[in-house]
Amino acid sequence: MSSKLHQLALEYHQGDRPGKIIVSSHKPLATREDLSLAYTPGVAAPVCEIVQDANKVYDFTIKRNLVAVISDGSAVLGLGNVGPLASKPVMEGKAVLFKYFADIDVFDIEIDTQDVDEFVQTVKNIAPTFGGINLEDISAPRCFEIEKRLIEALDIPVFHDDQHGTAIIIAAGLLNSLEIQGKHIETAKFVCLGAGSAGIATLNLLCELGLSKDNILLVDREGVISQDMENVSQIKAQYSVKTDKKTLADAMQGADVFIGVAAANLVSKQMIKSMANRPIVFALSNPNPEISPSDVNSVRDDLIMATGRSDYPNQVNNVLGFPFIFRGALDAKASEINSKMKIAAVHALKDLAKLEVPSSVLKAYSAESMVFSKSYIIPKPFDPRLIDVVPKAVFDAAVSSGVSRL
């Protein structure tokens, strides 16, 4: 971040009223009658209804439109374990995106513990307040256990966006990229650099979409996850393969697809040169990718590239997913966000990229045209059709898969 942008960001977050979100009422409170309805004795009426039927809480309170964005601050952006207080600006930012893109209300909650048991118990205790839980910026491998235990314990959607939001957007972009490049997910050879929450969740989702584990080389800081490696965690071991390849450079030779969710500047030009014809490169580390588009384009002209940045084509941005996925899940009064709902979101995003782009999107991005191609593989966050297309797909999948209360 430049010093100028750093200062602008500080001024943006401070101002006359620090922070980015407020809590306000949307019901009148101007008369004595209003007061009697808003509080005592009027509140007794919905209380009695909810006592008789717990599901009435969705009819008389904010619960059906309220999500908790919860973090312990252990894996914030590219900044690492900064703790709960320093994570708060990020969680407030997430709340702003939920509200702007999908009109979902959010309470951000920063929990001062990195003990899995304490964290899980805290979330379980406050869960009745919310219609959904969005876990955010929690380090691996703790995030996997936390999410699993909360999904098992709660009857509302629990969604770790760093895992599944990232995976959904990557999958949508990759399916379109494979189509453009004339390749197929069942036969393409994949390399994934990064075995944390995003990497593992992405591979899990891609396997549900047809990718074979035999065609995956997972690489972490120790090298290719192979069957002769020792002390490999259970989470990584599911992608352990029998191979003589040891390093990232070895893995990249002949690969059709590279997914980077690790750190900046880990991929060389020579590695890109060694990939198969018409490769796909998703270098998604933020703020700096595993290899820059300029370096990639200097050695190949037959590839598709995506990054996590808005100043390059094909930005893989979670805001394409989580507001709209939760909108569909909340509208369906879903008890969880299951695989069918995630896959429905993937296909909704994938198919939307193939339609004619509205003029409002072109104006927002100062572009003369956007057409399904190597430089436009996924929709833009400001596409007004997202709120219609993705929530409906998720809603329908929730109903058809039996997790909707409707």
Side-chain angles (χ1 to χ4, degrees):
M1 185 186 303
S2 69
S3 59
K4 180 180 179 181
L5 181 57
H6 180 90
Q7 186 58 39
L8 287 172
L10 292 181
E11 293 172 1
Y12 174 92
H13 283 81
Q14 189 175 32
D16 295 330
R17 185 170 188 162
K20 297 191 287 286
I21 59 176
I22 62 172
V23 176
S24 64
S25 172
H26 58 89
K27 296 292 172 67
L29 191 63
T31 68
R32 183 175 64 179
E33 183 181 20
D34 292 339
L35 184 59
S36 68
L37 293 172
Y39 197 52
T40 184
V43 287
V47 167
C48 293
E49 293 292 322
I50 295 167
V51 168
Q52 295 296 319
D53 179 359
N55 283 326
K56 291 287 187 179
V57 71
Y58 288 97
D59 298 329
F60 296 116
T61 76
I62 195 177
K63 182 180 174 78
R64 72 174 298 168
N65 198 56
L66 184 62
V67 167
V69 172
I70 305 180
S71 180
D72 62 5
S74 59
V76 176
L77 301 174
L79 303 173
N81 189 354
V82 300
L85 284 179
S87 75
K88 188 168 178 61
V90 183
M91 302 313 121
E92 287 187 3
K94 202 83 172 188
V96 170
L97 299 180
F98 265 110
K99 188 64 178 177
Y100 181 86
F101 287 102
D103 195 23
I104 292 172
D105 298 302
V106 165
F107 292 160
D108 68 288
I109 297 173
E110 294 74 35
I111 298 179
D112 190 13
T113 181
Q114 294 186 7
D115 177 83
V116 169
D117 291 335
E118 286 186 357
F119 188 98
V120 168
Q121 190 59 51
T122 299
V123 177
K124 286 170 62 177
N125 288 343
I126 64 174
T129 304
F130 302 98
I133 304 290
N134 184 92
L135 301 172
E136 192 75 20
D137 291 349
I138 302 170
S139 62
R142 296 164 50 257
C143 62
F144 299 111
E145 183 180 354
I146 286 171
E147 186 193 44
K148 180 176 182 294
R149 287 171 59 177
L150 288 173
I151 288 174
E152 291 172 350
L154 302 179
D155 65 348
I156 57 175
V158 177
F159 188 82
H160 185 205
D161 188 48
D162 298 321
Q163 291 185 59
H164 310 297
T166 303
I168 287 166
I169 313 308
I170 290 175
L174 278 177
L175 289 179
N176 277 341
S177 298
L178 288 165
E179 179 180 334
I180 292 169
Q181 296 292 66
K183 301 191 177 192
H184 303 280
I185 194 169
E186 295 82 5
T187 55
K189 297 186 180 300
F190 281 66
V191 173
C192 180
L193 176 60
S197 59
I200 296 297
T202 297
L203 293 180
N204 290 346
L205 182 57
L206 290 173
C207 286
E208 291 191 64
L209 290 164
L211 176 60
S212 168
K213 289 186 177 181
D214 294 335
N215 289 335
I216 299 169
L217 291 176
L218 175 61
V219 185
D220 68 4
R221 65 190 63 189
E222 303 298 325
V224 176
I225 306 298
S226 62
Q227 292 179 358
D228 57 2
M229 289 183 71
E230 298 180 354
N231 300 318
V232 177
S233 70
Q234 183 177 357
I235 291 169
K236 296 179 185 180
Q238 62 183 313
Y239 292 105
S240 176
V241 294
K242 187 175 183 179
T243 180
D244 295 329
K245 296 187 175 186
K246 303 294 185 184
T247 66
L248 175 61
D250 296 337
M252 292 288 278
Q253 294 179 18
D256 295 293
V257 177
F258 168 78
I259 302 169
V261 281
N265 305 318
L266 296 178
V267 176
S268 68
K269 293 181 182 181
Q270 187 57 44
M271 294 179 192
I272 299 298
K273 282 183 179 180
S274 74
M275 295 181 73
N277 292 332
R278 306 184 312 282
I280 299 163
V281 175
F282 276 36
L284 305 178
S285 177
N286 265 321
N288 297 313
E290 285 75 8
I291 184 170
S292 69
S294 59
D295 282 349
V296 167
N297 293 329
S298 72
V299 295
R300 301 290 295 251
D301 62 3
D302 63 338
L303 55 72
I304 292 176
M305 183 168 187
T307 71
R309 292 176 54 144
S310 60
D311 51 348
Y312 297 131
N314 299 327
Q315 182 190 21
V316 174
N317 190 328
N318 284 21
V319 77
L320 286 169
F322 68 84
F324 311 108
I325 293 164
F326 267 99
R327 180 74 277 159
L330 292 174
D331 289 348
K333 297 183 182 177
S335 59
E336 63 177 292
I337 296 174
N338 59 23
S339 293
K340 289 186 178 180
M341 295 161 75
K342 297 170 193 173
I343 291 172
V346 170
H347 286 292
L349 289 167
K350 175 181 74 71
D351 295 341
L352 184 57
K354 299 178 182 179
L355 302 180
E356 183 178 352
V357 177
S359 59
S360 62
V361 178
L362 300 179
K363 183 178 180 181
Y365 288 88
S366 301
E368 292 185 3
S369 67
M370 291 182 189
V371 180
F372 182 61
S373 64
K374 289 183 178 181
S375 60
Y376 179 70
I377 58 172
I378 44 179
K380 298 294 186 182
F382 289 105
D383 193 320
R385 300 169 297 178
L386 286 165
I387 191 61
D388 296 319
V389 172
V390 180
K392 183 181 186 306
V394 173
F395 178 100
D396 290 345
V399 172
S400 65
S401 62
V403 298
S404 169
R405 290 182 175 84
L406 297 178

